[in-house]
Amino acid sequence: MKRLITIAAMTTLAALSGVAACAPATRFEWGAYEPALYAYAQNPENREAYRTALERAIEAGRKRDAVAPGLLAELGYLHLQAGETTQALTLFQEERARFPESAVFMDRVIVGLGGQAAVAGGEAQ
């Protein structure tokens, strides 16, 4: 009886391992965002490492059209903090284009920086 339970447990484990190996890739490319954000929050001197992690995740996401929501805006904010308004606006506009649900917020940020935001009909203001 004990041997049967052991065999059943091993068979179940093998089946679950096989299913897990076939799991689809995630919808969005996050790269090393989470550990980089944690390191940055713990030590703001890690800003460049955080910026690099965001850039790599975005680059990988663009290759398979899977940029994670918020990453472009986050990188844009880092550019804005560094006084690089043009780069920030470009990233904010891309965030808005990729994620229409962010339009209200992104439009306010873009217009606040002196850029043109799209309105619901797709026309520029």
Side-chain angles (χ1 to χ4, degrees):
M1 177 88 167
K2 193 173 187 179
R3 183 177 174 164
L4 268 172
I5 293 172
T6 305
I7 291 172
M10 289 182 1
T11 303
T12 303
L13 182 60
L16 290 175
S17 296
V19 170
C22 297
T26 61
R27 165 66 179 102
F28 297 110
E29 178 61 52
W30 292 95
Y33 168 72
E34 191 173 310
L37 174 61
Y38 181 78
Y40 176 58
Q42 295 298 309
N43 186 359
E45 287 80 38
N46 290 330
R47 185 178 201 284
E48 282 308 307
Y50 180 49
R51 183 176 173 160
T52 300
L54 284 170
E55 289 169 345
R56 287 181 180 162
I58 290 167
E59 182 180 325
R62 283 178 178 150
K63 287 180 182 174
R64 62 181 189 102
D65 193 28
V67 175
L71 294 189
L72 292 158
E74 185 72 15
L75 182 58
Y77 181 66
L78 290 179
H79 280 286
L80 191 58
Q81 286 179 319
E84 301 162 348
T85 307
T86 303
Q87 295 92 329
L89 278 169
T90 300
L91 290 162
F92 293 152
Q93 289 165 341
E94 184 179 351
E95 178 80 23
R96 188 205 188 282
R98 285 184 181 272
F99 303 100
E101 62 274 17
S102 72
V104 172
F105 177 67
M106 289 284 86
D107 284 351
R108 286 182 183 169
V109 172
I110 292 166
V111 169
L113 292 173
Q116 286 189 345
V119 293
E123 301 170 16
Q125 287 187 18

